[in-house]
Amino acid sequence: MAKRTILKLGDPALTMKSEPVAGIDADIRTLVRDMIETLHKAPGIGLAAPQVDVRKRVVTVDLSIGEDPDALYALINPEIVQREGKCIREEGCLSVPEVYEKVARPQKVVVKGLNLEGSEVTIEAEDMLARVFCHEIDHLDGKLFVDYLSPLKRSLIRKKFKKPEAKKKA
Ligand code: NI
């Protein structure tokens, strides 16, 4: 397993739409393993493939951050097929470190996708789990949580993340 680099806000790759996975091969399995390791080491509760510079429709979610194997989801070609209710809560993103803002998300969602064996799975998620699935699936469409904020807030946050090269050296 290898930890991969997480792209940060301002990287144009994060705004691109990801392609559906055509077949679950060795590359996809390696990608998922690496994403789980990257997610746990970050540490975070959700990671989408475009955040590690792979434009494929793959997400990993783990509210337990490695504590509970049953809480770990790796979904291929995930889709939200049902949404219900509304919940406003602070949200963050591994690609936008140290920024937390209130975002409205459905209170409950039904997510469909494939597991690593290629079988279709349906997940009924509520509250935080619903939020994380919505957030990660947004990444697959090039959308970040800051896109839900007011233009003013968004531009202030974007300014913080300009010139990542200079920031790394500082
Ligand atoms: Ni994110």
Side-chain angles (χ1 to χ4, degrees):
M1 293 210 283
K3 187 173 167 263
R4 300 200 187 186
T5 303
I6 299 175
L7 303 182
K8 299 295 186 296
L9 181 71
D11 195 310
L14 288 173
T15 64
M16 293 173 194
K17 208 173 156 74
S18 292
E19 295 294 321
V21 173
I24 299 164
D25 55 13
D27 281 353
I28 293 296
R29 286 194 195 94
T30 302
L31 170 68
V32 167
R33 276 201 301 272
D34 288 356
M35 283 173 66
I36 292 167
E37 181 173 348
T38 307
L39 175 66
H40 288 161
K41 286 207 171 143
I45 53 175
L47 186 71
Q51 291 181 276
V52 292
D53 210 11
V54 177
R55 256 126 349 256
K56 298 255 188 221
R57 301 188 79 85
V58 178
V59 300
T60 51
V61 171
D62 184 359
L63 292 191
S64 82
I65 319 180
E67 291 296 314
D68 175 10
D70 290 338
L72 174 65
Y73 297 93
L75 273 193
I76 318 291
N77 300 338
E79 251 182 285
I80 294 169
V81 294
Q82 222 174 294
R83 350 173 154 241
E84 213 181 292
K86 187 176 145 182
C87 181
I88 298 172
R89 215 177 138 167
E90 262 189 2
E91 193 171 310
C93 177
L94 291 173
S95 294
V96 195
E98 287 161 46
V99 174
Y100 300 90
E101 295 287 347
K102 281 182 178 165
V103 177
R105 299 281 189 186
Q107 192 268 324
K108 195 176 169 182
V109 294
V110 177
V111 185
K112 273 194 178 172
L114 300 177
N115 62 17
L116 271 183
E117 285 75 51
S119 316
E120 194 172 283
V121 289
T122 302
I123 300 156
E124 287 185 27
E126 287 184 40
D127 303 318
M128 199 56 182
L129 189 59
R131 174 170 299 274
V132 180
F133 273 116
C134 291
H135 178 117
E136 302 314 326
I137 292 168
D138 271 355
H139 273 300
L140 305 181
D141 294 315
K143 195 164 187 180
L144 299 176
F145 82 102
V146 296
D147 295 327
Y148 292 99
L149 307 177
S150 70
L152 176 64
K153 263 193 182 163
R154 204 162 54 223
S155 74
L156 286 174
I157 294 166
R158 283 192 189 283
K159 260 185 212 157
K160 269 200 200 174
F161 284 87
K162 269 207 178 130
K163 295 179 194 149
E165 296 312 313
K167 269 208 157 171
K168 260 182 217 158
K169 281 175 201 153

